[in-house]
């Protein structure tokens, strides 16, 4: 079912809002249709129909956005929740160099939100954030599902975003293509999202309105679609992944998939100014383990010249891939004093609901005790 | 992210189960890969890569399965929850005549389920039900997302299933293709799912084990993929929709999309034996408004001979499409005494959590008071 709402009778009369949003999106899909011929049939049938260009393959990714886990209604502006929901999926496409074709949103809302004007306002602003980012990247919302969330008045908001993209056959950039000797690069800057989240959690107050989405790496991360497409088109990268769980975790994923080890240089890490404000030790932890930066981490043969920026985004070389060898850690970090130590995956655990725990993550010395199981 | 679990440290050690299931599915995907060359890259990268056959278009549908809304942990066997989760998406593909290519499952689970053996058993049985149906229709699980559901010990299970299918370009059967003069057909029998659900709700006891999935129209509905593919291949149908919300609601959807009206004959309705056991009046309400039968409702020119069964499933002619005319109701029902009355959409509201309310739905006279807003 596409954007159909099943709910008890008392909320049904409020569903006009959902219908309205659906229509807004349908018309914005039409606005895109000249550039996005790939969506043949959008919202309103049992399935959407997509027609990717001949010679392309289809990429699919799905990502949850759960209240109390990925956002808090009392702290995040609704536009940010909508933006981040879509950004998570777009970033997965970017990591493979794919071009977005269409998004699908499954959204469960507490019935009370539809009955109250504050709730309806929240929903409209959520969709506004999602639509603004979608329009920027020409991604129509082609379908999904809606439902009243269980739990009555205490019901929570859950969203699941599906992104469908396209890439020329056989050319999508995988995690598994890295080879020993490759240089390791990262786009933009690291640790900004963790630093902004920590600041929000410390304030414990919702930012009501954000004048611009720029400079808000947690609230409004920028998926690096143009960089990913450029890496694919110019065949620069051997392997790529997005930094969603944190550099330490995502680099370990890439190494495991590629069957190699990596060494990164601490001094080379491009640390976000918001993280630097936290002090040197906390900034380093945010850059290494803070997730949700949605930058791209890629590898390329050391002999291939990589421009200092791609699609306007700075590119920094942060290390290299090594052969796997008995006793060699998966990821090693070279400190400024020349010493080497294993870098354990200790990725940001997203939004656990225990805000103080998350907030404390950026204090030096605590991150290692919250190791994430490698997988 | 594909099947990655973010959760607090104390549950991380339990994630081995999820990993195990993931591997089971990966290997079963490989088992399918000879027949399902369309999945180039499954679980384990930022996106899955699909390669539908040349000349085909891609169909996408997403469907929620929410605890307390679509199922109850105390009443539904876990295999049924997994089966129904996948069946909902497969049925949407069937309604358009598409062939399934891959499924993606986003699954949020309470942390306590991973920590307790009863919970782990539930999860394994859920996946078993999903896998059994997937194998029957050769649909690999190619990715998804997992998360701990918010709410701690009181957290609920949420799933969102995404189905990707393929159909020859321009040939997917839409809701909107019906024309006045078409005969209206339905596959199988109606009202069985509502009748079985009512029986379960009256018993208020979980069926622990179901020996066979046959004869359980609510617990183990059979998506009509073979019928849908046959309708498409033989170009028999002008329009098609699946009966997920109930005949009255879904026929109204088809009429609205096609710009026509419909008249159905009460005496022609193929009513499920489980519904007939409820008595004549309740049986009729279950057949007209009971949802989740997942039969196909399609229209074809009256001049086209439609076989009495397709892919082993009986086909029944239940009425015809008429021109839209001022004052003519969208859907009319011709009673055995020759009288005609408007058939209001009063589709089954899925699983509202208020079991007695749902149960009372099949008692004569109550359904009309719970009209579903047409959309």
């Amino acid at each position: 079912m596409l954007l159909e709402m099943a709910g008890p009778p008392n909320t049904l009369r409020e569903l006009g809002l959902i219908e309205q949003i659906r229509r807004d999106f349908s018309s914005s899909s039409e606005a895109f249709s000249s550039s996005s011929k790939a969506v043949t049939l959008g919202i309103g049938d049992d399935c959407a129909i997509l027609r990717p260009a001949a010679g392309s393959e289809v990429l699919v990714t799905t990502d949850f956005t759960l209240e109390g886990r990925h956002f808090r209604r009392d702290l995040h502006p609704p536009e940010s929740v909508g933006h981040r929901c879509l950004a998570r999926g777009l970033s997965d496409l970017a990591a493979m160099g794919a071009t977005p074709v269409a998004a699908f949103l499954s959204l469960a809302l507490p019935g009370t939100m539809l009955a109250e004007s504050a709730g309806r306002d929240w929903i409209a602003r959520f969709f506004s954030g999602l639509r603004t980012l979608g329009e920027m990247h020409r991604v129509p919302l082609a379908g999904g599902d809606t439902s009243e969330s269980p739990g009555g008045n205490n019901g929570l908001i859950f969203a699941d975003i599906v992104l469908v993209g396209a890439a020329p056959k056989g050319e999508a950039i995988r995690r598994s293509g890295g080879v020993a000797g490759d240089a390791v690069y990262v786009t933009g800057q690291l640790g900004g999202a963790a630093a902004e989240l920590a600041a929000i959690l410390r304030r414990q107050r919702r930012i009501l309105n954000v004048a611009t989405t720029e400079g808000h790496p947690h609230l409004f991360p920028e998926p690096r679609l143009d960089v990913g497409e450029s890496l694919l088109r110019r065949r620069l990268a051997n392997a790529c992944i997005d930094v969603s769980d944190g550099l330490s975790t995502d680099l370990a994923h890439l190494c495991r998939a590629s069957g190699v080890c990596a060494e990164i240089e601490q001094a080379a890490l491009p640390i976000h100014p918001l993280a630097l404000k936290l002090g040197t030790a906390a900034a380093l932890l945010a850059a290494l383990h803070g997730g949700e930066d949605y930058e791209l981490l890629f590898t390329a043969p050391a002999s291939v010249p990589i421009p200092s920026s791609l699609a306007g985004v700075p590119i920094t070389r942060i290390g290299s891939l090594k052969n796997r060898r008995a006793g060699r850690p998966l990821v090693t970090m070279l400190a400024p004093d020349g010493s080497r130590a294993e870098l354990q995956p200790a990725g940001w655990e997203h939004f656990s609901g225990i805000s103080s725990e998350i907030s404390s993550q950026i204090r030096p010395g605590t991150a290692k005790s919250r190791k994430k199981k490698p997988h």
Side-chain angles (χ1 to χ4, degrees), chain A residues 59-197:
Chain A
L59 289 89
V60 183
T61 178
T62 84
D63 288 283
F64 267 137
T65 294
L66 307 177
E67 181 177 2
R69 178 132 211 98
H70 300 97
F71 74 94
R72 274 172 48 182
R73 232 187 295 178
D74 60 342
L75 292 181
H76 287 84
E79 292 88 352
S80 160
V81 182
H83 177 107
R84 290 171 67 227
C85 176
L86 183 60
R88 298 186 67 194
L90 289 176
S91 182
D92 284 329
L93 291 181
M96 302 193 78
T99 304
V101 171
F104 297 81
L105 175 72
S106 292
L107 181 65
L109 297 165
T112 45
M113 285 191 76
L114 292 166
E116 292 160 10
S117 79
R120 292 195 298 270
D121 179 57
W122 193 98
I123 298 165
R125 290 177 60 190
F126 167 88
F127 273 99
S128 162
L130 197 148
R131 187 169 49 236
T132 303
L133 183 64
E135 285 175 354
M136 192 180 298
H137 294 288
R138 302 182 154 270
V139 193
L141 187 68
D145 193 13
T146 57
S147 177
E148 189 181 343
S149 55
N153 292 356
N154 299 318
L156 298 172
I157 301 167
F158 330 118
D160 188 36
I161 193 95
V162 181
L163 263 295
V164 178
K169 245 174 218 173
E171 299 196 17
I173 312 167
R174 304 180 182 200
R175 299 180 178 183
S176 55
V179 291
D182 276 6
V184 176
Y185 300 88
V186 71
T187 62
Q189 294 165 317
L190 299 172
E196 187 179 26
L197 175 58

Side-chain angles (χ1 to χ4, degrees), chain A residues 4-8 11-20 114:
Chain A
E4 288 182 357
M5 169 71 77
T11 63
L12 288 181
R13 64 178 176 277
E14 309 294 349
L15 297 184
L17 175 76
I18 296 286
E19 272 301 294
Q20 183 56 50
L114 292 166

